[in-house]
Amino acid sequence: RWYHAEGAKKAVELLFTDEDQDQKKKASSIDLRVGQAVRVTGLKKAPHLNGKPGIVQRQNPTDSSRWEVELRLERGKLEVKSIKGDNIMVVRASEAQAWKELEVRHAEERRKREREERRWQEEEAKKKRMDEKRKETEWSLRADGFPDMDPSERLEAEMSALPLDDEAMMLLRRIRTEEALEVLQQVSLGGLGNMKDF
């Protein structure tokens, strides 16, 4: 019988000890405020975040032992992480000047990164527009290599490519466009030695 009494006593002790430890743990966690400057420390699952500065955003609504902290990462990146209060260290007043300088540098890095990303996006958009324009041009080219244009435009284009005098151009414009194009093709292929032979 004594072991039943001892066992019950031990169970009660364990229960109250666990509650006391939980209360001590809650009491030991620091009092954080929204907007407070902090550093992350003691993370085991994400050790790359240890030492990173951040700003407290709010207490985690689903877990009161955690706080959402906006961390300052490399190249001016920001990321909000839910971190246990025990892993958050408040920046002391003596570190305030260093913190401000760090914030200024981080903001400059963020602006620089955003400018680079905007420039890259603009370049990509420009490349895309140029590719689309090139594809449109390729699709509009006919088998003979001329852009898809009406015969009169094509006649003018071919006449401008050949060394013709004004009189020859006037004669070509007077005849049917298809016939004029045929004559120009013969001249360019060497079928006629000179336009005047026509």
Side-chain angles (χ1 to χ4, degrees):
R1 285 188 151 231
W2 66 270
Y3 61 88
H4 287 289
E6 282 295 313
K9 183 178 173 187
K10 187 70 172 170
V12 169
E13 249 178 32
L14 288 173
L15 282 172
F16 284 111
T17 305
D18 287 344
E19 283 181 7
D20 290 344
Q21 285 177 350
D22 285 345
Q23 286 176 353
K24 285 178 186 174
K25 201 173 196 181
K26 286 179 185 173
S28 71
S29 67
I30 52 178
D31 183 31
L32 297 172
R33 297 181 318 272
V34 173
Q36 195 167 23
V38 296
R39 285 197 185 277
V40 176
T41 182
L43 296 177
K44 293 179 181 149
K45 291 185 179 176
H48 62 281
L49 297 177
N50 287 331
K52 298 288 183 198
I55 301 286
V56 175
Q57 298 298 304
R58 66 179 184 158
Q59 191 166 18
N60 188 313
T62 58
D63 184 353
S64 62
S65 69
R66 292 180 167 270
W67 291 81
E68 291 181 5
V69 178
E70 183 183 66
L71 296 176
R72 273 73 176 126
L73 303 176
E74 291 79 18
R75 294 194 69 231
K77 291 184 180 178
L78 299 172
E79 193 171 326
V80 176
K81 295 283 188 181
S82 181
I83 299 174
K84 287 184 180 178
D86 295 341
N87 295 19
I88 299 173
M89 184 174 67
V90 176
V91 173
R92 289 177 252 155
S94 61
E95 299 172 339
Q97 186 59 36
W99 174 265
K100 287 178 186 176
E101 291 170 6
L102 184 65
E103 278 292 289
V104 168
R105 273 196 315 271
H106 189 269
E108 287 172 2
E109 288 175 1
R110 184 172 57 245
R111 283 191 295 275
K112 181 181 176 185
R113 179 183 49 83
E114 289 170 351
R115 277 193 309 270
E116 289 172 356
E117 286 175 356
R118 263 194 311 275
R119 191 175 357 196
W120 180 82
Q121 288 171 348
E122 289 169 0
E123 287 175 7
E124 288 297 310
K126 185 178 178 182
K127 284 180 187 177
K128 186 177 179 182
R129 284 192 306 272
M130 289 176 67
D131 284 346
E132 288 172 359
K133 189 173 182 177
R134 182 183 49 80
K135 285 178 184 176
E136 285 176 16
T137 304
E138 287 174 359
W139 290 336
S140 69
L141 287 178
R142 294 175 35 189
D144 56 8
F146 281 96
D148 192 17
M149 54 177 86
D150 68 39
S152 62
E153 289 175 327
R154 185 168 170 209
L155 175 63
E156 293 297 324
E158 287 198 28
M159 285 191 307
S160 67
L162 294 172
L164 300 174
D165 59 7
D166 289 336
E167 186 181 344
M169 284 194 211
M170 280 297 243
L171 286 172
L172 289 168
R173 287 183 185 126
R174 285 187 190 159
I175 61 176
R176 280 191 16 220
T177 308
E178 288 78 15
E179 290 174 0
L181 285 170
E182 196 172 308
V183 169
L184 285 176
Q185 188 174 14
Q186 288 176 9
V187 169
S188 64
L189 293 175
L192 293 172
N194 189 341
M195 187 66 187
K196 293 187 185 215
D197 293 340
F198 170 68

